Amino acid sequence: MTMMAHCVRGEKKLVDMDWRFGVTAATSESHSDGSTFLQLKLVLENGAGEQERVYFELTLPQFYEFLATLESAKVKVGSLT
């Protein structure tokens, strides 16, 4: 099961997305210094019009996996029209 499947259950529509990149400047773990991350906030809407906000943070490799999943979904949706 993918990371997104753990965050989102059932059919929901993506209403809004907010993101920001960051770089860890200092930490008690020296191997984490300089690591890049992405913070995402998704606003999802169910069939009843209720909105839910989902927050998560991704490493750079996780972000690229997420991006590939979104691009694959776009292609699949485009083929339906």
Side-chain angles (χ1 to χ4, degrees):
M1 196 176 287
T2 66
M3 175 201 53
M4 282 299 296
H6 289 292
C7 295
V8 180
R9 306 241 190 270
E11 289 189 33
K12 298 184 181 178
K13 176 182 169 184
L14 179 62
V15 177
D16 192 20
M17 180 171 79
D18 190 27
W19 58 272
R20 63 180 159 173
F21 278 104
V23 177
T24 304
T27 179
S28 60
E29 300 175 25
S30 62
H31 68 276
S32 294
D33 289 350
S35 62
T36 306
F37 61 90
L38 174 77
Q39 293 176 334
L40 283 173
K41 177 182 84 169
L42 305 178
V43 180
L44 307 171
E45 189 174 281
N46 64 16
E50 299 168 332
Q51 290 189 352
E52 172 187 4
R53 285 167 177 74
V54 179
Y55 300 89
F56 55 99
E57 187 170 292
L58 304 170
T59 63
L60 203 53
Q62 289 172 325
F63 166 70
Y64 284 121
E65 178 185 346
F66 176 64
L67 182 60
T69 302
L70 289 178
E71 289 173 345
S72 174
K74 179 181 175 183
V75 168
K76 289 178 183 177
V77 168
S79 69
L80 296 175
T81 58

Coordinates of all heavy atoms in Angstrom, one line a residue:
M1 N 0.8 -1.2 0.0 CA 0.0 0.0 0.0 C 0.9 1.2 0.0 O 1.9 1.3 0.7 CB -0.9 0.0 1.2 CG -2.1 0.9 1.1 SD -3.2 0.8 2.5 CE -4.0 -0.7 2.2
T2 N 0.5 2.2 -0.8 CA 1.4 3.4 -0.9 C 1.1 4.3 0.3 O 0.2 4.2 1.0 CB 1.0 4.2 -2.2 OG1 -0.3 4.7 -2.1 CG2 1.2 3.4 -3.4
M3 N 2.0 5.3 0.4 CA 1.9 6.3 1.5 C 0.6 7.0 1.4 O 0.0 7.3 2.4 CB 3.1 7.3 1.4 CG 3.0 8.4 2.4 SD 3.9 9.8 1.9 CE 3.4 10.2 0.3
M4 N 0.2 7.4 0.2 CA -1.1 8.2 0.1 C -2.3 7.3 0.5 O -3.2 7.8 1.1 CB -1.3 8.6 -1.4 CG -0.5 9.8 -1.8 SD -0.9 11.3 -0.8 CE -2.6 11.6 -1.2
A5 N -2.2 6.0 0.2 CA -3.3 5.1 0.6 C -3.5 5.1 2.1 O -4.6 5.0 2.6 CB -3.1 3.7 0.0
H6 N -2.4 5.2 2.8 CA -2.5 5.3 4.3 C -3.1 6.6 4.8 O -3.7 6.6 5.8 CB -1.1 5.1 4.9 CG -0.5 3.8 4.8 ND1 -1.0 2.7 5.4 CD2 0.5 3.3 4.0 CE1 -0.3 1.6 5.1 NE2 0.6 1.9 4.3
C7 N -2.9 7.7 4.1 CA -3.4 9.0 4.5 C -4.8 9.2 4.1 O -5.5 9.9 4.8 CB -2.5 10.1 3.8 SG -0.8 10.1 4.4
V8 N -5.2 8.7 3.0 CA -6.6 9.0 2.5 C -7.4 7.7 2.3 O -6.9 6.7 1.6 CB -6.4 9.7 1.1 CG1 -7.8 10.0 0.5 CG2 -5.6 10.9 1.2
R9 N -8.5 7.6 2.9 CA -9.4 6.4 2.9 C -10.7 6.8 2.1 O -11.2 7.9 2.4 CB -9.7 5.9 4.2 CG -8.5 5.6 5.1 CD -8.4 4.2 5.5 NE -7.4 4.0 6.5 CZ -6.2 3.7 6.3 NH1 -5.8 3.6 5.0 NH2 -5.3 3.4 7.2
G10 N -11.1 6.0 1.2 CA -12.4 6.2 0.5 C -12.1 7.2 -0.6 O -11.0 7.7 -0.9
E11 N -13.2 7.5 -1.4 CA -13.1 8.4 -2.5 C -13.3 9.8 -2.1 O -14.3 10.2 -1.4 CB -14.2 8.0 -3.5 CG -13.9 6.7 -4.2 CD -14.9 6.5 -5.4 OE1 -15.3 7.5 -6.0 OE2 -15.2 5.3 -5.6
K12 N -12.3 10.6 -2.4 CA -12.3 12.0 -2.0 C -11.7 12.8 -3.2 O -10.9 12.3 -3.9 CB -11.5 12.3 -0.7 CG -12.1 11.5 0.5 CD -11.4 11.8 1.7 CE -12.0 11.0 2.8 NZ -11.4 11.2 4.1
K13 N -12.2 14.1 -3.3 CA -11.7 15.0 -4.3 C -10.7 15.9 -3.7 O -10.9 16.5 -2.7 CB -12.9 15.7 -4.8 CG -12.6 16.8 -5.9 CD -13.9 17.5 -6.3 CE -13.6 18.7 -7.1 NZ -14.9 19.4 -7.4
L14 N -9.6 16.1 -4.5 CA -8.6 17.0 -4.0 C -9.0 18.4 -4.4 O -9.3 18.8 -5.5 CB -7.2 16.8 -4.8 CG -6.1 17.7 -4.4 CD1 -5.7 17.6 -3.0 CD2 -4.9 17.4 -5.3
V15 N -9.3 19.3 -3.4 CA -9.8 20.6 -3.5 C -8.7 21.6 -3.6 O -8.7 22.6 -4.4 CB -10.8 21.0 -2.4 CG1 -11.3 22.4 -2.5 CG2 -11.9 20.0 -2.3
D16 N -7.6 21.5 -2.8 CA -6.5 22.4 -2.7 C -5.3 21.7 -2.2 O -5.4 20.7 -1.5 CB -6.9 23.6 -1.8 CG -5.9 24.7 -1.8 OD1 -5.2 24.9 -2.9 OD2 -5.9 25.5 -0.9
M17 N -4.1 22.2 -2.6 CA -2.9 21.7 -2.1 C -1.9 22.8 -1.9 O -1.8 23.7 -2.7 CB -2.3 20.7 -3.1 CG -1.0 20.1 -2.7 SD -0.4 18.8 -3.8 CE 0.3 19.7 -5.2
D18 N -1.2 22.8 -0.7 CA -0.2 23.8 -0.4 C 1.1 23.0 -0.1 O 1.0 21.9 0.5 CB -0.7 24.6 0.8 CG 0.2 25.8 1.1 OD1 0.8 26.3 0.2 OD2 0.3 26.2 2.3
W19 N 2.2 23.5 -0.5 CA 3.5 22.8 -0.3 C 4.6 23.8 -0.1 O 4.5 25.0 -0.4 CB 3.8 22.0 -1.5 CG 3.9 22.8 -2.8 CD1 2.9 23.1 -3.6 CD2 5.0 23.4 -3.3 NE1 3.3 23.8 -4.7 CE2 4.6 24.1 -4.5 CE3 6.4 23.5 -3.0 CZ2 5.6 24.8 -5.3 CZ3 7.3 24.2 -3.7 CH2 6.8 24.8 -4.9
R20 N 5.7 23.3 0.5 CA 6.9 24.1 0.7 C 8.1 23.1 0.8 O 7.9 22.1 1.4 CB 6.8 25.1 1.8 CG 6.7 24.5 3.2 CD 6.6 25.6 4.2 NE 6.0 25.1 5.4 CZ 5.9 25.7 6.5 NH1 6.4 26.9 6.6 NH2 5.3 25.2 7.6
F21 N 9.2 23.5 0.2 CA 10.4 22.8 0.4 C 11.2 23.3 1.5 O 11.1 24.5 1.9 CB 11.3 22.9 -0.9 CG 10.9 22.0 -2.0 CD1 10.1 22.4 -3.1 CD2 11.2 20.6 -1.9 CE1 9.8 21.6 -4.1 CE2 10.8 19.8 -3.0 CZ 10.1 20.2 -4.0
G22 N 12.0 22.5 2.1 CA 12.9 23.0 3.2 C 14.2 22.2 3.2 O 14.3 21.1 2.6
V23 N 15.2 22.7 3.8 CA 16.5 22.0 4.0 C 16.8 22.1 5.5 O 16.8 23.1 6.1 CB 17.6 22.7 3.2 CG1 19.0 22.0 3.4 CG2 17.3 22.7 1.7
T24 N 17.2 20.9 6.0 CA 17.6 20.9 7.4 C 18.9 21.5 7.6 O 19.9 21.1 7.0 CB 17.6 19.4 7.9 OG1 16.4 18.8 7.7 CG2 17.9 19.3 9.4
A25 N 19.0 22.6 8.4 CA 20.2 23.3 8.6 C 21.1 22.7 9.7 O 22.3 22.6 9.6 CB 20.0 24.7 8.9
A26 N 20.5 22.2 10.8 CA 21.2 21.6 11.9 C 20.3 20.7 12.6 O 19.1 20.9 12.7 CB 21.7 22.7 12.9
T27 N 20.9 19.6 13.2 CA 20.1 18.6 13.9 C 21.1 17.9 14.8 O 22.3 18.0 14.6 CB 19.4 17.6 13.0 OG1 18.7 16.7 13.8 CG2 20.4 16.9 12.1
S28 N 20.6 17.2 15.8 CA 21.5 16.4 16.7 C 22.0 15.2 16.0 O 23.0 14.6 16.4 CB 20.7 16.0 17.9 OG 19.6 15.2 17.6
E29 N 21.4 14.8 14.8 CA 21.9 13.7 14.0 C 22.7 14.3 12.8 O 22.1 14.9 11.9 CB 20.7 12.9 13.5 CG 19.9 12.3 14.6 CD 18.6 11.6 14.0 OE1 18.7 11.2 12.9 OE2 17.7 11.5 14.8
S30 N 24.0 14.1 12.9 CA 24.8 14.8 11.9 C 24.5 14.3 10.5 O 24.7 15.0 9.5 CB 26.3 14.5 12.2 OG 26.6 13.2 12.2
H31 N 24.0 13.1 10.3 CA 23.8 12.6 8.9 C 22.5 13.2 8.3 O 22.3 13.1 7.1 CB 23.6 11.0 8.9 CG 22.4 10.5 9.7 ND1 22.4 10.3 11.0 CD2 21.2 10.2 9.2 CE1 21.2 9.9 11.4 NE2 20.5 9.8 10.3
S32 N 21.7 14.0 9.1 CA 20.5 14.6 8.6 C 20.8 16.1 8.2 O 19.9 16.7 7.6 CB 19.4 14.6 9.7 OG 19.0 13.3 10.0
D33 N 21.9 16.6 8.5 CA 22.2 18.0 8.1 C 22.2 18.1 6.6 O 22.8 17.3 5.9 CB 23.6 18.4 8.6 CG 23.6 18.6 10.2 OD1 22.5 18.6 10.8 OD2 24.7 18.8 10.7
G34 N 21.5 19.1 6.1 CA 21.5 19.4 4.7 C 20.5 18.5 3.9 O 20.4 18.6 2.7
S35 N 19.7 17.7 4.6 CA 18.7 16.9 3.9 C 17.5 17.8 3.5 O 17.1 18.7 4.1 CB 18.2 15.8 4.8 OG 17.6 16.3 6.0
T36 N 17.0 17.4 2.3 CA 15.9 18.2 1.7 C 14.6 17.5 2.0 O 14.5 16.3 2.1 CB 16.1 18.3 0.2 OG1 17.4 18.8 -0.1 CG2 15.0 19.2 -0.4
F37 N 13.5 18.3 2.3 CA 12.2 17.7 2.6 C 11.1 18.6 1.9 O 11.4 19.7 1.5 CB 11.9 17.6 4.1 CG 12.0 18.9 4.8 CD1 10.8 19.6 5.0 CD2 13.2 19.4 5.4 CE1 10.8 20.8 5.7 CE2 13.2 20.5 6.0 CZ 12.0 21.3 6.2
L38 N 9.9 18.0 1.8 CA 8.8 18.7 1.3 C 7.6 18.5 2.3 O 7.3 17.4 2.7 CB 8.4 18.1 -0.1 CG 7.1 18.7 -0.7 CD1 7.4 20.1 -1.3 CD2 6.6 17.7 -1.8
Q39 N 7.0 19.6 2.6 CA 5.8 19.6 3.5 C 4.6 19.8 2.6 O 4.6 20.8 1.8 CB 5.9 20.6 4.6 CG 7.0 20.3 5.6 CD 7.1 21.4 6.7 OE1 6.8 22.5 6.5 NE2 7.6 21.0 7.8
L40 N 3.6 19.0 2.8 CA 2.3 19.1 2.0 C 1.1 19.2 2.9 O 1.1 18.6 3.9 CB 2.1 17.8 1.1 CG 3.0 17.7 -0.1 CD1 2.7 16.3 -0.8 CD2 2.6 18.8 -1.1
K41 N 0.2 20.1 2.4 CA -1.1 20.1 3.0 C -2.1 19.9 1.9 O -2.2 20.6 0.9 CB -1.4 21.5 3.7 CG -2.8 21.6 4.3 CD -3.1 22.9 4.9 CE -3.5 23.9 3.8 NZ -4.1 25.2 4.3
L42 N -2.9 18.8 2.1 CA -4.0 18.6 1.1 C -5.3 18.9 1.7 O -5.6 18.6 2.9 CB -4.0 17.1 0.7 CG -2.6 16.5 0.2 CD1 -2.8 15.0 -0.1 CD2 -2.2 17.3 -1.1
V43 N -6.2 19.5 0.9 CA -7.6 19.7 1.4 C -8.4 18.8 0.5 O -8.5 18.9 -0.7 CB -8.0 21.2 1.2 CG1 -9.5 21.4 1.7 CG2 -7.1 22.1 2.0
L44 N -9.1 17.8 1.1 CA -9.9 16.8 0.4 C -11.4 17.0 0.8 O -11.7 17.5 1.9 CB -9.4 15.4 0.9 CG -8.0 15.1 0.8 CD1 -7.6 13.8 1.4 CD2 -7.5 15.1 -0.7
E45 N -12.2 16.7 -0.2 CA -13.7 16.8 0.0 C -14.3 15.5 -0.3 O -14.1 14.9 -1.3 CB -14.2 17.9 -0.9 CG -15.6 18.3 -0.7 CD -16.0 19.5 -1.5 OE1 -15.7 20.6 -1.2 OE2 -16.7 19.2 -2.5
N46 N -15.2 15.0 0.6 CA -15.9 13.8 0.3 C -17.2 14.1 -0.4 O -17.5 15.3 -0.7 CB -16.2 13.0 1.6 CG -17.1 13.8 2.6 OD1 -17.8 14.7 2.2 ND2 -17.2 13.4 3.8
G47 N -18.0 13.1 -0.7 CA -19.2 13.3 -1.5 C -20.2 14.1 -0.9 O -21.1 14.7 -1.5
A48 N -20.2 14.3 0.5 CA -21.2 15.1 1.2 C -20.7 16.6 1.3 O -21.4 17.4 2.0 CB -21.4 14.5 2.6
G49 N -19.6 16.9 0.7 CA -19.1 18.3 0.8 C -18.3 18.6 2.0 O -17.9 19.8 2.2
E50 N -18.0 17.6 2.8 CA -17.2 17.9 4.0 C -15.7 17.9 3.6 O -15.3 17.0 2.9 CB -17.5 16.8 5.1 CG -18.9 16.8 5.5 CD -19.2 15.5 6.4 OE1 -18.5 14.5 6.1 OE2 -20.1 15.6 7.2
Q51 N -15.0 18.8 4.2 CA -13.5 18.9 3.9 C -12.7 18.4 5.0 O -13.0 18.5 6.2 CB -13.2 20.4 3.6 CG -13.8 20.9 2.3 CD -13.2 22.3 1.9 OE1 -12.5 22.9 2.6 NE2 -13.6 22.7 0.7
E52 N -11.6 17.8 4.6 CA -10.6 17.3 5.5 C -9.2 17.8 5.1 O -8.9 17.8 3.9 CB -10.6 15.8 5.5 CG -9.6 15.1 6.2 CD -9.6 13.5 6.0 OE1 -10.3 13.0 5.2 OE2 -8.7 12.9 6.7
R53 N -8.4 18.2 6.1 CA -7.0 18.6 5.8 C -6.1 17.5 6.2 O -6.2 17.0 7.3 CB -6.7 19.9 6.5 CG -7.4 21.1 5.9 CD -7.4 22.3 6.7 NE -8.0 23.5 6.1 CZ -9.2 23.7 5.8 NH1 -10.1 22.7 6.2 NH2 -9.7 24.7 5.2
V54 N -5.2 17.2 5.3 CA -4.2 16.1 5.6 C -2.8 16.7 5.4 O -2.5 17.4 4.4 CB -4.4 14.9 4.6 CG1 -3.3 13.9 4.8 CG2 -5.8 14.4 4.6
Y55 N -2.0 16.6 6.5 CA -0.6 17.2 6.5 C 0.4 16.0 6.5 O 0.2 15.0 7.2 CB -0.4 18.0 7.7 CG -1.4 19.2 7.8 CD1 -2.6 19.0 8.5 CD2 -1.1 20.4 7.3 CE1 -3.5 20.1 8.6 CE2 -1.9 21.5 7.5 CZ -3.1 21.3 8.1 OH -4.0 22.4 8.2
F56 N 1.4 16.1 5.7 CA 2.5 15.2 5.8 C 3.8 15.8 5.2 O 3.8 16.8 4.6 CB 2.2 13.8 5.2 CG 1.7 13.9 3.7 CD1 2.6 13.6 2.7 CD2 0.4 14.1 3.4 CE1 2.2 13.6 1.4 CE2 0.0 14.1 2.1 CZ 0.9 13.9 1.1
E57 N 4.9 15.1 5.6 CA 6.2 15.6 5.2 C 6.9 14.4 4.4 O 6.8 13.3 4.8 CB 7.0 15.9 6.4 CG 8.4 16.6 6.1 CD 9.0 17.1 7.3 OE1 8.5 18.1 7.9 OE2 10.1 16.6 7.7
L58 N 7.5 14.8 3.3 CA 8.2 13.8 2.5 C 9.7 14.1 2.3 O 10.1 15.2 2.3 CB 7.6 13.8 1.0 CG 6.1 13.6 0.9 CD1 5.6 13.9 -0.5 CD2 5.7 12.2 1.3
T59 N 10.5 13.0 2.2 CA 11.8 13.2 1.8 C 11.8 13.4 0.3 O 10.8 13.2 -0.4 CB 12.7 11.9 2.1 OG1 12.1 10.8 1.4 CG2 12.6 11.6 3.6
L60 N 13.0 13.8 -0.2 CA 13.0 14.0 -1.7 C 12.7 12.8 -2.5 O 11.9 12.8 -3.4 CB 14.4 14.6 -2.0 CG 14.5 15.4 -3.3 CD1 13.5 16.5 -3.4 CD2 15.9 16.0 -3.5
P61 N 13.3 11.6 -2.1 CA 12.9 10.4 -2.9 C 11.4 10.1 -2.8 O 10.7 9.7 -3.8 CB 13.7 9.3 -2.3 CG 14.9 9.9 -1.7 CD 14.3 11.3 -1.2
Q62 N 10.8 10.3 -1.6 CA 9.3 10.1 -1.4 C 8.5 11.1 -2.3 O 7.5 10.7 -2.9 CB 8.9 10.2 0.0 CG 9.4 9.1 0.9 CD 9.1 9.4 2.4 OE1 9.2 10.6 2.8 NE2 8.8 8.4 3.1
F63 N 9.0 12.3 -2.4 CA 8.4 13.3 -3.2 C 8.3 12.9 -4.7 O 7.3 13.0 -5.4 CB 9.0 14.7 -3.1 CG 8.6 15.6 -4.2 CD1 7.3 16.2 -4.2 CD2 9.5 16.0 -5.2 CE1 6.9 17.1 -5.2 CE2 9.1 16.9 -6.2 CZ 7.8 17.4 -6.2
Y64 N 9.5 12.4 -5.2 CA 9.5 12.0 -6.6 C 8.6 10.8 -6.8 O 8.0 10.7 -7.9 CB 11.0 11.6 -7.0 CG 11.8 12.9 -7.2 CD1 12.9 13.2 -6.5 CD2 11.4 13.8 -8.2 CE1 13.7 14.3 -6.7 CE2 12.1 15.0 -8.4 CZ 13.2 15.2 -7.7 OH 14.0 16.4 -7.9
E65 N 8.5 9.9 -5.9 CA 7.5 8.8 -6.0 C 6.1 9.3 -6.0 O 5.3 8.9 -6.8 CB 7.7 7.8 -4.8 CG 6.7 6.6 -4.8 CD 6.8 5.7 -3.6 OE1 7.8 5.9 -2.8 OE2 5.9 4.9 -3.4
F66 N 5.8 10.3 -5.2 CA 4.5 10.9 -5.1 C 4.2 11.6 -6.5 O 3.1 11.4 -7.0 CB 4.4 11.9 -4.0 CG 3.1 12.7 -3.9 CD1 1.9 12.0 -3.6 CD2 3.2 14.0 -4.0 CE1 0.8 12.8 -3.5 CE2 2.0 14.8 -3.9 CZ 0.8 14.1 -3.6
L67 N 5.1 12.3 -7.0 CA 5.0 13.0 -8.3 C 4.7 12.0 -9.4 O 3.9 12.2 -10.2 CB 6.2 13.8 -8.6 CG 6.2 14.7 -9.8 CD1 5.1 15.7 -9.8 CD2 7.5 15.4 -10.0
A68 N 5.5 10.9 -9.4 CA 5.3 9.9 -10.5 C 3.8 9.3 -10.4 O 3.2 9.1 -11.4 CB 6.3 8.8 -10.3
T69 N 3.3 9.1 -9.2 CA 2.0 8.6 -9.0 C 1.0 9.6 -9.5 O 0.0 9.2 -10.2 CB 1.7 8.3 -7.5 OG1 2.7 7.4 -7.0 CG2 0.3 7.8 -7.2
L70 N 1.2 10.9 -9.2 CA 0.2 11.9 -9.7 C 0.3 12.0 -11.2 O -0.8 12.1 -11.9 CB 0.6 13.3 -9.1 CG 0.3 13.5 -7.7 CD1 0.8 14.9 -7.2 CD2 -1.2 13.3 -7.4
E71 N 1.5 11.9 -11.8 CA 1.6 11.9 -13.3 C 0.9 10.7 -13.9 O 0.2 10.8 -14.9 CB 3.0 12.1 -13.7 CG 3.6 13.4 -13.4 CD 5.1 13.5 -13.6 OE1 5.8 12.5 -13.8 OE2 5.6 14.7 -13.7
S72 N 1.0 9.6 -13.3 CA 0.4 8.3 -13.8 C -1.1 8.5 -13.7 O -1.8 8.1 -14.7 CB 0.9 7.1 -13.0 OG 0.2 6.0 -13.3
A73 N -1.6 9.0 -12.6 CA -3.1 9.2 -12.5 C -3.6 10.2 -13.5 O -4.7 10.0 -14.1 CB -3.4 9.7 -11.1
K74 N -2.8 11.2 -13.8 CA -3.2 12.2 -14.8 C -3.4 11.6 -16.2 O -4.3 11.8 -16.9 CB -2.2 13.4 -14.9 CG -2.5 14.4 -15.9 CD -1.4 15.5 -15.9 CE -1.7 16.5 -17.0 NZ -0.6 17.5 -17.1
V75 N -2.4 10.7 -16.5 CA -2.5 10.0 -17.8 C -3.7 9.1 -17.9 O -4.4 9.1 -18.9 CB -1.2 9.2 -18.0 CG1 -1.3 8.2 -19.2 CG2 0.0 10.2 -18.3
K76 N -4.0 8.4 -16.8 CA -5.1 7.5 -16.7 C -6.4 8.2 -16.8 O -7.3 7.8 -17.6 CB -5.1 6.6 -15.5 CG -4.0 5.6 -15.5 CD -3.9 4.8 -14.2 CE -2.7 3.9 -14.3 NZ -2.6 3.1 -13.1
V77 N -6.5 9.4 -16.1 CA -7.8 10.2 -16.2 C -7.9 10.8 -17.6 O -9.0 10.8 -18.2 CB -7.8 11.3 -15.1 CG1 -8.9 12.3 -15.4 CG2 -7.9 10.7 -13.7
G78 N -6.8 11.2 -18.2 CA -6.8 11.8 -19.6 C -7.3 10.8 -20.6 O -7.9 11.1 -21.6
S79 N -7.0 9.5 -20.4 CA -7.4 8.5 -21.3 C -8.9 8.1 -21.2 O -9.4 7.5 -22.1 CB -6.6 7.2 -21.1 OG -6.9 6.6 -19.9
L80 N -9.5 8.6 -20.2 CA -11.0 8.3 -20.0 C -11.8 9.3 -20.7 O -13.0 9.1 -21.0 CB -11.3 8.4 -18.5 CG -10.7 7.3 -17.6 CD1 -11.1 7.5 -16.2 CD2 -11.1 5.9 -18.1
T81 N -11.2 10.5 -21.1 CA -12.0 11.5 -21.8 C -12.0 11.3 -23.3 O -11.3 10.7 -23.9 CB -11.5 12.9 -21.5 OG1 -10.1 13.0 -21.8 CG2 -11.7 13.2 -20.0

